[in-house]
Short mmCIF file of all heavy atoms in Angstrom, two decimals:
data_model
loop_
_atom_site.label_atom_id
_atom_site.label_comp_id
_atom_site.label_asym_id
_atom_site.label_seq_id
_atom_site.Cartn_x
_atom_site.Cartn_y
_atom_site.Cartn_z
N MET N 1 5.43 84.40 69.46
CA MET N 1 4.49 84.58 68.32
C MET N 1 3.77 83.27 68.17
O MET N 1 4.28 82.18 68.43
CB MET N 1 5.30 84.90 67.17
CG MET N 1 4.42 85.12 65.90
SD MET N 1 5.35 85.60 64.52
CE MET N 1 4.04 85.71 63.29
N ILE N 2 2.63 83.34 67.65
CA ILE N 2 1.68 82.24 67.38
C ILE N 2 1.64 81.97 65.90
O ILE N 2 1.57 82.94 65.10
CB ILE N 2 0.32 82.52 67.93
CG1 ILE N 2 0.36 82.83 69.40
CG2 ILE N 2 -0.63 81.36 67.63
CD1 ILE N 2 0.80 81.64 70.29
N CYS N 3 1.75 80.75 65.53
CA CYS N 3 1.65 80.38 64.08
C CYS N 3 0.23 80.70 63.55
O CYS N 3 -0.71 80.30 64.12
CB CYS N 3 1.95 78.85 63.82
SG CYS N 3 1.71 78.27 62.13
N PRO N 4 0.17 81.42 62.49
CA PRO N 4 -1.13 81.89 61.99
C PRO N 4 -1.93 80.73 61.36
O PRO N 4 -3.10 80.71 61.29
CB PRO N 4 -0.80 82.91 60.92
CG PRO N 4 0.54 82.66 60.49
CD PRO N 4 1.25 82.10 61.72
N GLU N 5 -1.21 79.65 61.01
CA GLU N 5 -1.80 78.46 60.40
C GLU N 5 -2.48 77.55 61.43
O GLU N 5 -3.62 77.13 61.24
CB GLU N 5 -0.83 77.69 59.60
CG GLU N 5 -1.42 76.68 58.61
CD GLU N 5 -2.01 77.26 57.37
OE1 GLU N 5 -1.63 78.44 56.98
OE2 GLU N 5 -2.92 76.59 56.81
N CYS N 6 -1.75 77.21 62.47
CA CYS N 6 -2.26 76.14 63.39
C CYS N 6 -2.45 76.70 64.89
O CYS N 6 -3.15 76.04 65.62
CB CYS N 6 -1.24 75.06 63.44
SG CYS N 6 0.35 75.42 64.25
N GLY N 7 -2.02 77.93 65.18
CA GLY N 7 -2.26 78.47 66.49
C GLY N 7 -1.30 78.08 67.56
O GLY N 7 -1.45 78.41 68.73
N LEU N 8 -0.22 77.28 67.20
CA LEU N 8 0.77 76.84 68.21
C LEU N 8 1.87 77.87 68.35
O LEU N 8 2.21 78.57 67.36
CB LEU N 8 1.34 75.52 67.83
CG LEU N 8 2.12 74.73 68.87
CD1 LEU N 8 1.22 74.36 70.08
CD2 LEU N 8 2.79 73.50 68.28
N GLU N 9 2.49 77.99 69.51
CA GLU N 9 3.60 78.90 69.66
C GLU N 9 4.80 78.41 68.80
O GLU N 9 5.06 77.28 68.62
CB GLU N 9 3.97 78.83 71.14
CG GLU N 9 5.00 79.96 71.54
CD GLU N 9 5.23 80.01 73.02
OE1 GLU N 9 4.23 80.03 73.76
OE2 GLU N 9 6.35 80.01 73.42
N THR N 10 5.47 79.43 68.26
CA THR N 10 6.60 79.21 67.35
C THR N 10 7.96 79.04 68.14
O THR N 10 7.95 79.18 69.37
CB THR N 10 6.80 80.34 66.37
OG1 THR N 10 7.01 81.54 67.12
CG2 THR N 10 5.58 80.52 65.49
N ARG N 11 8.98 78.62 67.44
CA ARG N 11 10.30 78.48 68.00
C ARG N 11 11.27 79.38 67.18
O ARG N 11 11.00 79.63 66.04
CB ARG N 11 10.73 76.97 68.06
CG ARG N 11 10.94 76.46 66.65
CD ARG N 11 11.45 75.00 66.75
NE ARG N 11 11.63 74.38 65.46
CZ ARG N 11 12.72 74.49 64.68
NH1 ARG N 11 13.79 75.17 65.15
NH2 ARG N 11 12.77 73.91 63.53
N VAL N 12 12.45 79.59 67.80
CA VAL N 12 13.46 80.37 67.13
C VAL N 12 14.24 79.42 66.24
O VAL N 12 14.78 78.36 66.76
CB VAL N 12 14.37 81.07 68.15
CG1 VAL N 12 15.51 81.77 67.39
CG2 VAL N 12 13.57 82.12 68.99
N GLY N 13 14.37 79.69 64.99
CA GLY N 13 15.11 78.83 64.05
C GLY N 13 16.46 79.35 63.84
O GLY N 13 17.45 78.62 63.62
N ALA N 14 16.65 80.62 63.80
CA ALA N 14 18.00 81.31 63.60
C ALA N 14 17.99 82.68 64.20
O ALA N 14 16.85 83.21 64.44
CB ALA N 14 18.20 81.38 62.06
N CYS N 15 19.16 83.15 64.50
CA CYS N 15 19.26 84.49 65.10
C CYS N 15 20.50 85.19 64.47
O CYS N 15 21.56 84.56 64.29
CB CYS N 15 19.42 84.40 66.56
SG CYS N 15 19.47 85.94 67.42
N TRP N 16 20.43 86.44 64.20
CA TRP N 16 21.51 87.22 63.65
C TRP N 16 21.36 88.67 64.03
O TRP N 16 20.35 89.05 64.55
CB TRP N 16 21.60 87.01 62.11
CG TRP N 16 20.49 87.58 61.31
CD1 TRP N 16 20.34 88.86 60.83
CD2 TRP N 16 19.28 86.91 61.01
NE1 TRP N 16 19.15 88.94 60.20
CE2 TRP N 16 18.43 87.77 60.26
CE3 TRP N 16 18.83 85.56 61.15
CZ2 TRP N 16 17.19 87.40 59.75
CZ3 TRP N 16 17.56 85.26 60.69
CH2 TRP N 16 16.82 86.16 60.01
N VAL N 17 22.50 89.39 63.80
CA VAL N 17 22.47 90.84 64.13
C VAL N 17 22.70 91.65 62.84
O VAL N 17 23.45 91.30 62.01
CB VAL N 17 23.67 91.10 65.11
CG1 VAL N 17 23.82 92.60 65.34
CG2 VAL N 17 23.50 90.38 66.38
N GLU N 18 21.78 92.69 62.71
CA GLU N 18 21.97 93.58 61.56
C GLU N 18 22.53 94.88 62.05
O GLU N 18 21.97 95.41 63.08
CB GLU N 18 20.59 93.74 60.84
CG GLU N 18 20.04 92.54 60.25
CD GLU N 18 18.70 92.76 59.58
OE1 GLU N 18 18.06 93.82 59.79
OE2 GLU N 18 18.19 91.85 58.97
N VAL N 19 23.49 95.39 61.41
CA VAL N 19 24.09 96.73 61.69
C VAL N 19 23.96 97.59 60.52
O VAL N 19 24.32 97.24 59.41
CB VAL N 19 25.60 96.49 62.11
CG1 VAL N 19 26.21 97.86 62.46
CG2 VAL N 19 25.76 95.58 63.23
N SER N 20 23.48 98.84 60.79
CA SER N 20 23.37 99.81 59.66
C SER N 20 23.89 101.12 60.12
O SER N 20 23.90 101.48 61.37
CB SER N 20 21.89 99.97 59.22
OG SER N 20 21.13 100.40 60.36
N GLY N 21 24.42 101.92 59.20
CA GLY N 21 24.88 103.26 59.49
C GLY N 21 26.33 103.35 60.09
O GLY N 21 26.65 104.36 60.48
N ASP N 22 27.00 102.23 60.14
CA ASP N 22 28.31 102.28 60.75
C ASP N 22 29.44 102.50 59.73
O ASP N 22 30.61 102.60 60.05
CB ASP N 22 28.56 101.01 61.55
CG ASP N 22 28.67 99.79 60.66
OD1 ASP N 22 28.09 99.76 59.59
OD2 ASP N 22 29.36 98.82 61.13
N ASP N 23 29.09 102.67 58.43
CA ASP N 23 30.13 102.82 57.42
C ASP N 23 30.57 104.26 57.16
O ASP N 23 31.49 104.51 56.56
CB ASP N 23 29.59 102.18 56.09
CG ASP N 23 28.29 102.66 55.59
OD1 ASP N 23 27.66 103.32 56.39
OD2 ASP N 23 27.97 102.49 54.49
N ARG N 24 29.74 105.25 57.73
CA ARG N 24 30.10 106.63 57.55
C ARG N 24 29.92 107.32 58.91
O ARG N 24 28.96 107.14 59.65
CB ARG N 24 29.16 107.24 56.50
CG ARG N 24 29.36 106.70 55.08
CD ARG N 24 28.44 107.23 54.09
NE ARG N 24 28.25 108.72 54.24
CZ ARG N 24 27.31 109.42 53.68
NH1 ARG N 24 26.45 108.75 52.95
NH2 ARG N 24 27.20 110.68 53.83
N PRO N 25 30.81 108.27 59.18
CA PRO N 25 30.74 108.98 60.51
C PRO N 25 29.51 109.87 60.67
O PRO N 25 29.13 110.20 61.76
CB PRO N 25 31.99 109.72 60.61
CG PRO N 25 32.58 109.83 59.20
CD PRO N 25 31.93 108.61 58.41
N ASP N 26 28.97 110.35 59.47
CA ASP N 26 27.81 111.26 59.64
C ASP N 26 26.44 110.63 59.66
O ASP N 26 25.39 111.27 59.68
CB ASP N 26 27.83 112.23 58.39
CG ASP N 26 27.75 111.49 57.07
OD1 ASP N 26 28.17 110.28 57.00
OD2 ASP N 26 27.27 112.16 56.06
N THR N 27 26.39 109.27 59.74
CA THR N 27 25.16 108.55 59.87
C THR N 27 25.13 107.78 61.26
O THR N 27 26.11 107.40 61.73
CB THR N 27 24.89 107.42 58.78
OG1 THR N 27 26.05 106.61 58.81
CG2 THR N 27 24.90 108.10 57.34
N ALA N 28 23.90 107.74 61.78
CA ALA N 28 23.78 107.08 63.10
C ALA N 28 23.86 105.55 63.00
O ALA N 28 23.36 105.05 62.01
CB ALA N 28 22.41 107.48 63.67
N THR N 29 24.55 104.96 63.96
CA THR N 29 24.73 103.49 63.90
C THR N 29 23.45 102.92 64.62
O THR N 29 22.97 103.39 65.61
CB THR N 29 25.93 103.13 64.67
OG1 THR N 29 27.04 103.61 64.02
CG2 THR N 29 26.11 101.62 64.72
N ARG N 30 22.90 101.83 64.02
CA ARG N 30 21.81 101.12 64.52
C ARG N 30 22.06 99.64 64.55
O ARG N 30 22.48 99.09 63.54
CB ARG N 30 20.54 101.45 63.78
CG ARG N 30 19.29 100.91 64.31
CD ARG N 30 18.11 101.63 63.63
NE ARG N 30 16.89 101.39 64.31
CZ ARG N 30 15.95 100.55 64.02
NH1 ARG N 30 16.05 99.88 62.93
NH2 ARG N 30 14.82 100.37 64.75
N VAL N 31 21.85 98.99 65.67
CA VAL N 31 22.11 97.54 65.76
C VAL N 31 20.83 96.86 66.24
O VAL N 31 20.10 97.24 67.15
CB VAL N 31 23.15 97.22 66.83
CG1 VAL N 31 23.47 95.75 66.96
CG2 VAL N 31 24.46 97.99 66.53
N VAL N 32 20.39 95.84 65.41
CA VAL N 32 19.16 95.15 65.70
C VAL N 32 19.39 93.65 65.65
O VAL N 32 20.06 93.08 64.77
CB VAL N 32 18.09 95.44 64.52
CG1 VAL N 32 16.77 94.66 64.71
CG2 VAL N 32 17.87 96.92 64.42
N ARG N 33 18.85 92.99 66.70
CA ARG N 33 18.90 91.48 66.74
C ARG N 33 17.62 90.95 66.08
O ARG N 33 16.51 91.42 66.46
CB ARG N 33 18.94 90.98 68.16
CG ARG N 33 18.98 89.41 68.21
CD ARG N 33 19.12 88.84 69.66
NE ARG N 33 18.01 89.33 70.41
CZ ARG N 33 18.15 89.79 71.68
NH1 ARG N 33 19.36 89.89 72.25
NH2 ARG N 33 17.13 90.23 72.41
N VAL N 34 17.79 89.97 65.12
CA VAL N 34 16.62 89.51 64.44
C VAL N 34 16.56 87.99 64.69
O VAL N 34 17.60 87.26 64.66
CB VAL N 34 16.78 89.73 62.87
CG1 VAL N 34 15.57 89.17 62.06
CG2 VAL N 34 16.99 91.17 62.57
N GLN N 35 15.37 87.47 65.03
CA GLN N 35 15.16 86.08 65.28
C GLN N 35 14.13 85.58 64.35
O GLN N 35 13.03 86.17 64.13
CB GLN N 35 14.60 85.86 66.69
CG GLN N 35 15.62 86.18 67.80
CD GLN N 35 15.02 86.01 69.15
OE1 GLN N 35 13.86 86.17 69.45
NE2 GLN N 35 15.90 85.64 70.05
N GLN N 36 14.48 84.59 63.56
CA GLN N 36 13.56 83.89 62.61
C GLN N 36 12.74 82.91 63.37
O GLN N 36 13.22 82.02 64.13
CB GLN N 36 14.42 83.11 61.58
CG GLN N 36 13.59 82.35 60.58
CD GLN N 36 14.47 81.46 59.77
OE1 GLN N 36 15.39 80.84 60.22
NE2 GLN N 36 14.13 81.39 58.44
N LEU N 37 11.38 83.04 63.29
CA LEU N 37 10.41 82.19 63.99
C LEU N 37 9.91 81.20 63.12
O LEU N 37 9.35 81.49 62.03
CB LEU N 37 9.36 83.14 64.59
CG LEU N 37 9.92 84.18 65.55
CD1 LEU N 37 8.73 85.12 65.97
CD2 LEU N 37 10.53 83.61 66.73
N LEU N 38 9.93 79.93 63.51
CA LEU N 38 9.42 78.76 62.76
C LEU N 38 8.35 78.03 63.45
O LEU N 38 8.31 78.00 64.68
CB LEU N 38 10.56 77.73 62.50
CG LEU N 38 11.90 78.30 62.03
CD1 LEU N 38 12.91 77.17 61.95
CD2 LEU N 38 11.68 78.86 60.57
N CYS N 39 7.35 77.49 62.73
CA CYS N 39 6.30 76.65 63.35
C CYS N 39 6.96 75.32 63.82
O CYS N 39 7.75 74.75 63.14
CB CYS N 39 5.17 76.46 62.36
SG CYS N 39 3.85 75.47 63.18
N ARG N 40 6.48 74.86 65.00
CA ARG N 40 7.03 73.64 65.48
C ARG N 40 6.08 72.56 65.54
O ARG N 40 6.31 71.41 66.02
CB ARG N 40 7.61 73.95 66.88
CG ARG N 40 6.66 74.41 67.93
CD ARG N 40 7.37 74.71 69.23
NE ARG N 40 6.40 75.20 70.22
CZ ARG N 40 5.76 74.44 71.16
NH1 ARG N 40 6.13 73.12 71.21
NH2 ARG N 40 4.92 74.93 71.98
N ASN N 41 4.89 72.70 65.05
CA ASN N 41 3.82 71.72 65.10
C ASN N 41 4.04 70.69 63.97
O ASN N 41 4.07 71.10 62.80
CB ASN N 41 2.45 72.40 64.88
CG ASN N 41 1.29 71.40 64.98
OD1 ASN N 41 1.48 70.23 65.06
ND2 ASN N 41 0.10 71.95 64.96
N PRO N 42 4.28 69.43 64.29
CA PRO N 42 4.53 68.39 63.24
C PRO N 42 3.35 68.20 62.26
O PRO N 42 3.51 67.78 61.17
CB PRO N 42 4.79 67.21 64.03
CG PRO N 42 4.38 67.41 65.41
CD PRO N 42 4.25 68.88 65.59
N ARG N 43 2.15 68.62 62.63
CA ARG N 43 0.96 68.42 61.76
C ARG N 43 0.68 69.69 60.93
O ARG N 43 -0.24 69.66 60.08
CB ARG N 43 -0.20 68.06 62.64
CG ARG N 43 -0.07 66.74 63.31
CD ARG N 43 -1.26 66.32 64.00
NE ARG N 43 -1.12 65.06 64.65
CZ ARG N 43 -1.63 64.74 65.82
NH1 ARG N 43 -2.42 65.61 66.48
NH2 ARG N 43 -1.36 63.58 66.41
N CYS N 44 1.31 70.77 61.19
CA CYS N 44 1.08 72.00 60.47
C CYS N 44 1.76 71.96 59.07
O CYS N 44 2.83 71.53 58.97
CB CYS N 44 1.62 73.19 61.29
SG CYS N 44 1.30 74.84 60.53
N PRO N 45 1.03 72.55 58.08
CA PRO N 45 1.63 72.64 56.74
C PRO N 45 2.84 73.50 56.73
O PRO N 45 3.63 73.46 55.77
CB PRO N 45 0.49 73.24 55.84
CG PRO N 45 -0.69 73.42 56.72
CD PRO N 45 -0.37 72.96 58.09
N LYS N 46 2.93 74.48 57.66
CA LYS N 46 4.13 75.31 57.74
C LYS N 46 5.17 74.91 58.68
O LYS N 46 6.03 75.70 59.06
CB LYS N 46 3.68 76.79 58.11
CG LYS N 46 2.74 77.40 57.10
CD LYS N 46 2.57 78.82 57.39
CE LYS N 46 1.63 79.43 56.31
NZ LYS N 46 2.14 80.58 55.71
N LYS N 47 5.16 73.65 59.05
CA LYS N 47 6.25 73.12 60.01
C LYS N 47 7.61 73.41 59.47
O LYS N 47 7.87 73.18 58.31
CB LYS N 47 6.04 71.60 60.21
CG LYS N 47 7.11 71.01 61.15
CD LYS N 47 7.01 69.55 61.24
CE LYS N 47 7.93 68.92 62.22
NZ LYS N 47 9.30 69.42 62.31
N ASP N 48 8.46 73.91 60.36
CA ASP N 48 9.83 74.24 60.02
C ASP N 48 10.00 75.28 58.91
O ASP N 48 11.00 75.42 58.30
CB ASP N 48 10.67 72.99 59.69
CG ASP N 48 10.81 72.02 60.89
OD1 ASP N 48 10.90 72.59 62.02
OD2 ASP N 48 10.96 70.85 60.64
N ARG N 49 8.92 76.12 58.72
CA ARG N 49 9.02 77.15 57.77
C ARG N 49 8.88 78.49 58.56
O ARG N 49 8.23 78.58 59.55
CB ARG N 49 7.83 77.13 56.71
CG ARG N 49 8.03 75.98 55.81
CD ARG N 49 7.00 76.05 54.66
NE ARG N 49 7.08 74.83 53.85
CZ ARG N 49 6.06 74.47 53.16
NH1 ARG N 49 4.92 75.14 53.08
NH2 ARG N 49 6.13 73.35 52.47
N GLU N 50 9.47 79.58 58.00
CA GLU N 50 9.45 80.83 58.77
C GLU N 50 7.97 81.39 58.66
O GLU N 50 7.37 81.49 57.60
CB GLU N 50 10.32 81.82 58.02
CG GLU N 50 10.38 83.21 58.75
CD GLU N 50 11.38 84.19 58.13
OE1 GLU N 50 12.47 83.76 57.73
OE2 GLU N 50 11.03 85.32 58.09
N VAL N 51 7.49 81.74 59.87
CA VAL N 51 6.08 82.35 59.96
C VAL N 51 6.22 83.79 60.45
O VAL N 51 5.21 84.45 60.53
CB VAL N 51 5.19 81.54 60.82
CG1 VAL N 51 4.88 80.16 60.19
CG2 VAL N 51 5.77 81.33 62.19
N GLY N 52 7.44 84.28 60.77
CA GLY N 52 7.65 85.60 61.20
C GLY N 52 9.00 85.91 61.72
O GLY N 52 9.81 84.94 61.76
N GLN N 53 9.23 87.13 62.09
CA GLN N 53 10.56 87.51 62.66
C GLN N 53 10.27 88.40 63.85
O GLN N 53 9.23 89.18 63.90
CB GLN N 53 11.39 88.34 61.64
CG GLN N 53 11.82 87.54 60.51
CD GLN N 53 12.83 88.40 59.65
OE1 GLN N 53 12.82 89.58 59.65
NE2 GLN N 53 13.51 87.66 58.72
N ALA N 54 11.10 88.25 64.84
CA ALA N 54 11.11 89.13 66.04
C ALA N 54 12.40 90.02 65.93
O ALA N 54 13.51 89.53 65.72
CB ALA N 54 11.16 88.31 67.28
N ARG N 55 12.21 91.34 66.04
CA ARG N 55 13.25 92.26 65.92
C ARG N 55 13.40 93.05 67.16
O ARG N 55 12.46 93.56 67.70
CB ARG N 55 13.08 93.26 64.71
CG ARG N 55 12.83 92.50 63.39
CD ARG N 55 12.54 93.38 62.27
NE ARG N 55 13.61 94.22 61.86
CZ ARG N 55 14.63 93.87 61.10
NH1 ARG N 55 14.69 92.63 60.61
NH2 ARG N 55 15.61 94.77 60.82
N CYS N 56 14.65 93.18 67.73
CA CYS N 56 14.98 93.91 68.94
C CYS N 56 16.13 94.85 68.74
O CYS N 56 17.14 94.46 68.34
CB CYS N 56 15.28 92.92 70.08
SG CYS N 56 15.69 93.69 71.63
N VAL N 57 15.81 96.14 68.94
CA VAL N 57 16.87 97.19 68.80
C VAL N 57 17.79 97.10 69.94
O VAL N 57 17.38 97.20 71.14
CB VAL N 57 16.23 98.59 68.64
CG1 VAL N 57 17.30 99.68 68.62
CG2 VAL N 57 15.31 98.67 67.47
N LEU N 58 19.04 96.91 69.69
CA LEU N 58 20.08 96.83 70.75
C LEU N 58 20.80 98.16 70.94
O LEU N 58 21.24 98.52 72.04
CB LEU N 58 21.10 95.81 70.43
CG LEU N 58 20.54 94.26 70.27
CD1 LEU N 58 21.68 93.38 69.84
CD2 LEU N 58 19.88 93.87 71.52
N TYR N 59 20.95 98.92 69.91
CA TYR N 59 21.73 100.18 69.91
C TYR N 59 21.05 101.08 68.86
O TYR N 59 20.83 100.58 67.78
CB TYR N 59 23.10 99.99 69.64
CG TYR N 59 23.95 101.21 69.78
CD1 TYR N 59 24.41 101.70 71.05
CD2 TYR N 59 24.21 102.10 68.72
CE1 TYR N 59 25.16 102.84 71.22
CE2 TYR N 59 24.98 103.28 68.84
CZ TYR N 59 25.35 103.66 70.10
OH TYR N 59 26.10 104.77 70.25
N PRO N 60 20.79 102.35 69.06
CA PRO N 60 21.14 103.12 70.23
C PRO N 60 20.15 102.89 71.43
O PRO N 60 19.02 102.38 71.21
CB PRO N 60 20.96 104.55 69.68
CG PRO N 60 19.94 104.47 68.56
CD PRO N 60 20.18 103.08 68.02
N PRO N 61 20.58 103.05 72.60
CA PRO N 61 19.80 102.83 73.79
C PRO N 61 18.46 103.57 73.81
O PRO N 61 17.51 103.05 74.42
CB PRO N 61 20.72 103.33 74.95
CG PRO N 61 22.10 103.50 74.41
CD PRO N 61 21.90 103.70 72.89
N GLU N 62 18.33 104.69 73.17
CA GLU N 62 17.07 105.33 73.21
C GLU N 62 16.02 104.62 72.49
O GLU N 62 14.78 104.67 72.85
CB GLU N 62 17.22 106.74 72.48
CG GLU N 62 18.26 107.67 73.02
CD GLU N 62 19.62 107.41 72.47
OE1 GLU N 62 19.72 107.17 71.24
OE2 GLU N 62 20.55 107.44 73.23
N GLU N 63 16.35 103.80 71.48
CA GLU N 63 15.35 103.02 70.76
C GLU N 63 15.16 101.64 71.36
O GLU N 63 14.18 101.01 71.13
CB GLU N 63 15.78 102.84 69.30
CG GLU N 63 15.78 104.14 68.53
CD GLU N 63 16.09 103.97 67.06
OE1 GLU N 63 15.70 102.88 66.52
OE2 GLU N 63 16.81 104.78 66.46
N ALA N 64 16.14 101.16 72.17
CA ALA N 64 16.03 99.87 72.75
C ALA N 64 14.85 99.80 73.78
O ALA N 64 14.61 100.81 74.48
CB ALA N 64 17.33 99.52 73.38
N GLN N 65 14.23 98.63 73.80
CA GLN N 65 13.13 98.50 74.81
C GLN N 65 13.47 97.54 75.88
O GLN N 65 14.11 96.58 75.86
CB GLN N 65 11.94 97.93 74.07
CG GLN N 65 11.41 98.88 72.98
CD GLN N 65 10.19 98.24 72.26
OE1 GLN N 65 9.81 97.08 72.47
NE2 GLN N 65 9.59 99.03 71.35
#
C-alpha cells in the first residue's frame, strides 16, 4: 500500500489474527490475518501512524485468495 499523504510504500507495524464464528457450532468459522500498515517516510506528517490495513482470509479455504 502507498501512503496517501506522501506516496511512499508503507511498512507493517503489527499483525494479528481475528477469529469469528467459532463460539457456536451453528455459525461458520472465519479466520482473518490483519496487518497494520504504517508510513515509513521520516518527513511525512503521518510517519509511524496507521494509514491502512491489509486483511487476508485464511479460513475458510473458499474465501482465501
Side-chain angles (χ1 to χ4, degrees):
M1 179 178 180
I2 303 297
C3 175
E5 193 77 25
C6 69
L8 193 67
E9 190 172 311
T10 58
R11 66 177 177 89
V12 175
C15 184
W16 62 91
V17 175
E18 293 179 354
V19 179
S20 61
D22 66 334
D23 53 345
R24 294 178 41 195
D26 60 335
T27 58
T29 300
R30 188 164 192 255
V31 181
V32 179
R33 179 180 56 223
V34 183
Q35 294 177 328
Q36 177 189 41
L37 301 173
L38 310 175
C39 181
R40 61 186 180 95
N41 184 351
R43 296 185 182 143
C44 182
K46 294 192 179 232
K47 181 186 183 318
D48 293 329
R49 293 189 188 157
E50 183 176 321
V51 294
Q53 289 185 346
R55 303 175 70 81
C56 177
V57 177
L58 302 175
Y59 186 86
E62 303 85 44
E63 293 183 37
Q65 296 178 355

